[in-house]
Amino acid sequence: MAENQKWICPLCGEPLFNGEEIDIHHIVPVAEGGTNDMENLLHLHRACHKQVHKTQVKSRLK
């Protein structure tokens, strides 16, 4: 997965393995029918992953 991303976090553009913790993100959430297939997963820094979910929650509340 990381190799497919060229070892870069797609959210911040920084190298994945820069000492920050890494999370696996489902592009389409499992609760919404997403799968654990490689095409639906991304490696993100933990802080970036939190930011993605924070933004998604805000957009749902509007």
Side-chain angles (χ1 to χ4, degrees), residues 1-8 16-17 38 42-43:
M1 196 173 2
E3 188 173 356
N4 290 341
Q5 294 175 216
K6 299 184 181 2
W7 309 98
I8 300 292
L16 282 171
F17 301 104
M38 291 285 288
L42 291 173
H43 278 307

Side-chain angles (χ1 to χ4, degrees), residues 1 9 13 19 27 30-31 42 44 46-47 50 56-58 60 62:
M1 196 173 2
C9 174
I27 299 166
V30 174
L42 291 173
L44 299 175
R46 176 153 296 156
K50 287 180 180 180
Q56 288 174 348
V57 168
K58 280 185 178 180
R60 287 184 198 142
K62 289 182 179 182

